[in-house]
Amino acid sequence: MFRCQYAPRNIPKGVFLLPLTVLLIVVLLPFIRNLNHWSSKIYASSLEAKETRICNLFSGNWTPYPKEPYYSTETCPFRTDKQNCFMNGRPDREFLKWRWKPFQCELPPFDASQFLKLVMGKSMAFVGDSIGRNQAESLLCLINSVAHPKDITTKYTTKNDTFFRWWFSADYNFTVTMLWSPFLVKFIDADVNASSFYRATKLYLDEADRAWASKIENFDYVIFSTGQWFFRPLTFYENGEVVGCQRCEKNMTELNLYGYRRAFRTALRTVRNLKGFKGLALLVTHSPDHFENGMWNECGACDRTKPFTMEERQVYKNGDLLETLHQIQVEEFEAAEKEEGRGKGLQFGLLDITDPMAMRPDGHPGRYGKVVDKNVTINDCVHWCMPGPVDTLNEFLLYTIKLQAENGLLCLLGIGSSSVLCSYSTFRSLEMQLFNNDMSFFFFMSFHQLPHEALNSIPLNITFYLQLNTLSHQYYPVE
């Protein structure tokens, strides 16, 4: 009906952008006012973080520590009986009076409240053998005083076993699961009636175990921890064909670590290639045993009550093998890290526990070990007492997750961004963790959807603006 004959055609874009700019400034004004104070505070934090990054957290020594452990038998209902050393009769407590001290920095104590704030609304999977379960149970005990996790395994499986378990904290919407996969790759026990150590197990080294590979795609954290099962008789398959074996004849005693290397390679590549996984994948390096005077089936034991000294650690009888296992894991981790899917937000991390735990022959159940679900006593120099040195693994875990979050915030503020990874998943995480209010959602959504001209018209702190401008077009795409 109406013809707009006099509609202007060359009005500057700024006229249309001005109302939008004013609206943004009004909404963001409280945030902008506090930016200098906030960035100064974070900048100080960044200096500390940089010092810690330079420091090798896993190079240090165990030092005397007089305080009581994080939890007790009464406050930790999650551990399996074989890790409850005091219930099983262990009389000494001196092994609890030590704490890991890196040579060049401090490892903060485990803070359950801080950990739960970082993982709120997230999920964490421990994938591997009973050492991985040992760490998972330690974590549940560490957060129990705040989170009170509940066992929700029956929602996922009808089996009543210790191999696949799920726990959930309603207060923090945080899920922890244990996915049993001792080899990480597909395996078949050829002799199901033999005792576990003597089974001739088939390993399909180019096929990830679906027990975990089919379940982790939507997890935020996946922690691989295994290694103890690779010393038994094994037959290696690739492309459906036998390519080698280990101790496949009665008189064969040597180890063939080809399977060990290939299993970790396949697992890390599988994570990298999962299309939907945008989380943090952590590899926990080999956890050493401390049998002396023979192995578990040769009357070997671990009766020490103090950590190794540095001199004793140098002559640790399994030192050469342990170094080889550790080197294989680190090499495969570094190869996966170079090829990781940064474009989709996937990140890798290494919890390099081998050297710290090699110095703790006193931390095992020893002669007070038990077989799960059986009233049988064994010499257990593989697993770790709870409480005990295993809790240090979760101090490392908290530190790693905290550093990941801090790195994301430093990226956001444009502080030291060249030295940290500014990934899509990091900012998705920050959206929930660091702002946690309605304005933050508007802030993120509006900035990453605005056109370039609108961003250029906003008079923000230049460093902050430039970083946001970069994020809007490179690191935080619209899905």
Side-chain angles (χ1 to χ4, degrees):
M1 181 180 296
F2 297 100
R3 299 186 61 176
C4 301
Q5 299 177 352
Y6 303 103
R9 298 185 181 182
N10 296 312
I11 293 179
K13 294 180 180 179
V15 172
F16 291 109
L17 294 174
L18 182 59
L20 180 58
T21 300
V22 172
L23 177 61
L24 284 172
I25 291 175
V26 170
V27 173
L28 294 174
L29 189 58
F31 180 83
I32 297 169
R33 285 176 176 172
N34 292 320
L35 182 60
N36 288 335
H37 171 73
W38 190 22
S39 61
S40 297
K41 182 177 179 181
I42 300 303
Y43 183 69
S45 170
S46 76
L47 294 178
E48 180 182 355
K50 286 182 180 179
E51 289 178 2
T52 311
R53 266 197 297 275
I54 294 172
C55 163
N56 181 357
L57 195 68
F58 308 103
S59 176
N61 204 354
W62 293 91
T63 59
Y65 189 71
K67 294 185 179 180
E68 290 299 308
Y70 289 109
Y71 52 87
S72 64
T73 299
E74 292 73 25
T75 61
C76 178
F78 303 102
R79 58 189 163 183
T80 52
D81 286 347
K82 67 180 180 180
Q83 269 83 61
N84 195 341
C85 297
F86 298 129
M87 184 186 76
N88 296 332
R90 180 166 178 168
D92 65 296
R93 296 180 63 89
E94 187 176 357
F95 73 97
L96 298 177
K97 301 297 184 180
W98 300 88
R99 192 163 189 278
W100 181 249
K101 172 65 175 69
F103 289 130
Q104 297 176 330
C105 57
E106 294 291 335
L107 175 64
F110 189 90
D111 185 326
S113 296
Q114 183 183 63
F115 178 86
L116 289 163
K117 288 178 182 178
L118 289 167
V119 299
M120 181 180 291
K122 297 187 177 184
S123 53
M124 178 176 291
F126 287 84
V127 178
D129 59 16
S130 52
I131 298 298
R133 183 176 64 218
N134 206 167
Q135 183 180 354
E137 291 176 351
S138 164
L139 179 65
L140 292 167
C141 291
L142 288 167
I143 65 175
N144 185 46
S145 62
V146 179
H148 311 295
K150 292 185 177 180
D151 192 327
I152 58 169
T153 303
T154 55
K155 291 185 178 181
Y156 297 91
T157 179
T158 57
K159 295 181 180 179
N160 183 21
D161 59 37
T162 59
F163 297 119
F164 297 91
R165 302 296 293 270
W166 279 261
W167 298 269
F168 178 70
S169 170
D171 292 340
Y172 291 89
N173 189 26
F174 175 53
T175 301
V176 178
T177 187
M178 175 64 207
L179 303 176
W180 176 259
S181 184
F183 299 105
L184 302 180
V185 294
K186 176 183 174 182
F187 66 98
I188 298 176
D189 288 322
D191 182 5
V192 296
N193 295 317
S195 84
S196 62
F197 189 78
Y198 297 104
R199 291 174 183 166
T201 303
K202 299 179 180 179
L203 294 192
Y204 296 83
L205 299 175
D206 51 357
E207 299 180 47
D209 186 358
R210 288 190 56 78
W212 65 267
S214 64
K215 295 180 174 66
I216 67 161
E217 189 170 11
N218 295 318
F219 275 81
D220 299 287
Y221 306 99
V222 177
I223 301 164
F224 293 101
S225 177
T226 193
Q228 300 296 334
W229 284 52
F230 286 88
F231 306 124
R232 58 194 69 208
L234 303 171
T235 304
F236 305 136
Y237 287 77
E238 289 182 323
N239 297 316
E241 302 289 336
V242 175
V243 295
C245 67
Q246 170 182 285
R247 293 177 173 170
C248 41
E249 296 180 10
K250 290 184 178 180
N251 295 328
M252 293 178 64
T253 59
E254 71 278 4
L255 292 175
N256 180 349
L257 296 178
Y258 176 80
Y260 185 84
R261 178 182 293 277
R262 293 292 296 178
F264 282 102
R265 181 178 302 177
T266 295
L268 294 172
R269 285 182 174 177
T270 299
V271 173
R272 190 188 69 226
N273 293 331
L274 282 176
K275 292 182 179 179
F277 183 68
K278 299 178 180 178
L280 174 63
L282 294 171
L283 175 61
V284 180
T285 59
H286 194 83
S287 175
D289 65 68
H290 289 92
F291 289 102
E292 295 186 85
N293 302 314
M295 292 300 294
W296 67 274
N297 56 344
E298 301 170 338
C299 299
C302 45
D303 295 326
R304 296 177 184 260
T305 58
K306 293 182 180 181
F308 279 146
T309 64
M310 295 299 290
E311 292 74 19
E312 289 171 325
R313 169 66 179 89
Q314 297 303 317
V315 295
Y316 170 55
K317 69 178 183 66
N318 288 331
D320 292 341
L321 174 60
L322 186 62
E323 178 59 31
T324 300
L325 296 172
H326 177 262
Q327 182 177 351
I328 289 173
Q329 287 182 306
V330 171
E331 287 173 356
E332 293 304 319
F333 167 79
E334 290 176 345
E337 189 180 31
K338 290 178 182 178
E339 301 174 2
E340 71 177 80
R342 280 196 169 96
K344 65 175 184 176
L346 166 64
Q347 298 180 59
F348 282 107
L350 189 72
L351 296 186
D352 196 353
I353 71 163
T354 300
D355 197 53
M357 302 307 277
M359 300 177 70
R360 293 307 306 268
D362 57 325
H364 303 286
R367 65 182 68 245
Y368 304 99
K370 287 185 65 176
V371 178
V372 177
D373 299 329
K374 296 180 181 180
N375 189 24
V376 178
T377 300
I378 60 171
N379 259 320
D380 184 354
C381 302
V382 175
H383 301 95
W384 302 97
C385 291
M386 293 174 53
V390 68
D391 299 319
T392 301
L393 274 58
N394 288 312
E395 293 177 341
F396 292 148
L397 176 62
L398 170 56
Y399 179 90
T400 302
I401 294 174
K402 181 181 177 183
L403 185 60
Q404 180 199 29
E406 287 178 348
N407 283 351
L409 186 54
L410 297 179
C411 279
L412 177 66
L413 295 175
I415 300 170
S417 58
S418 61
S419 62
V420 292
L421 175 62
C422 303
S423 68
Y424 170 81
S425 62
T426 300
F427 289 98
R428 179 73 77 182
S429 170
L430 285 168
E431 183 176 278
M432 299 301 297
Q433 291 178 16
L434 301 175
F435 297 97
N436 199 25
N437 56 48
D438 292 338
M439 189 179 76
S440 71
F441 181 76
F442 171 81
F443 169 77
F444 272 92
M445 295 305 293
S446 62
F447 267 87
H448 88 266
Q449 291 178 346
L450 280 176
H452 192 275
E453 294 87 350
L455 285 168
N456 284 338
S457 68
I458 299 176
L460 297 177
N461 172 285
I462 186 64
T463 304
F464 185 54
Y465 154 68
L466 286 175
Q467 189 64 36
L468 281 175
N469 189 17
T470 304
L471 295 179
S472 302
H473 296 283
Q474 293 183 14
Y475 297 110
Y476 203 46
V478 181
E479 291 185 330

